Amino acid sequence: MRIHLFPAGATEPVTLAGKPGQSLMQAAVDANVHGIEAECGGLLTCATCHVYVREPFASQLPPPGSDELGMLEFTASARQANSRLSCQIALVPALDGLAVDLPPTQT
Ligand code: FES
């Protein structure tokens, strides 16, 4: 499945292949995408995997859990309505074509 990550200010995305069952963070780390540091490895303690999810995908995701909501208070770039932590986004076939923007502090 295809995933498109737009670095801050970029018009062209970095497109990578993700596998169902992976997190978006893991797919980005495996592809060495700059901007997804994921310092905690997905343990919900760093917020360095922050992304802004584009529609229509943002509305399709399960809502963030309380732990994710808590960590979203500590993002380096401003939190927005479509802010999510990519380690908590489980890739499923319905998310083929998923498009997210990377925050300006994650370059
Ligand atoms: Fe640390 Fe997502 S990788 S919170």
Side-chain angles (χ1 to χ4, degrees):
M1 52 190 296
R2 291 164 303 120
I3 301 166
H4 308 292
L5 297 104
F6 290 79
T11 53
E12 294 297 320
V14 175
T15 298
L16 55 93
K19 301 185 192 97
Q22 274 185 315
S23 68
L24 172 57
M25 175 277 280
Q26 193 60 58
V29 168
D30 287 353
N32 292 314
V33 173
H34 289 286
I36 302 287
E37 284 191 37
E39 286 172 3
C40 78
L43 297 177
L44 271 177
T45 58
C46 76
T48 59
C49 64
H50 181 202
V51 295
Y52 302 117
V53 182
R54 293 190 179 188
E55 292 294 358
F57 301 101
S59 327
Q60 296 174 12
L61 295 176
S66 58
D67 288 346
E68 182 180 355
L69 283 172
M71 191 48 58
L72 281 167
E73 300 292 327
F74 298 99
T75 55
S77 288
R79 179 181 175 185
Q80 299 179 9
N82 61 342
S83 285
R84 296 298 300 261
L85 297 180
S86 60
C87 66
Q88 301 304 302
I89 297 176
L91 298 180
V92 295
L95 293 177
D96 184 34
L98 175 65
V100 305
D101 292 284
L102 298 180
T105 52
Q106 292 169 219
T107 56

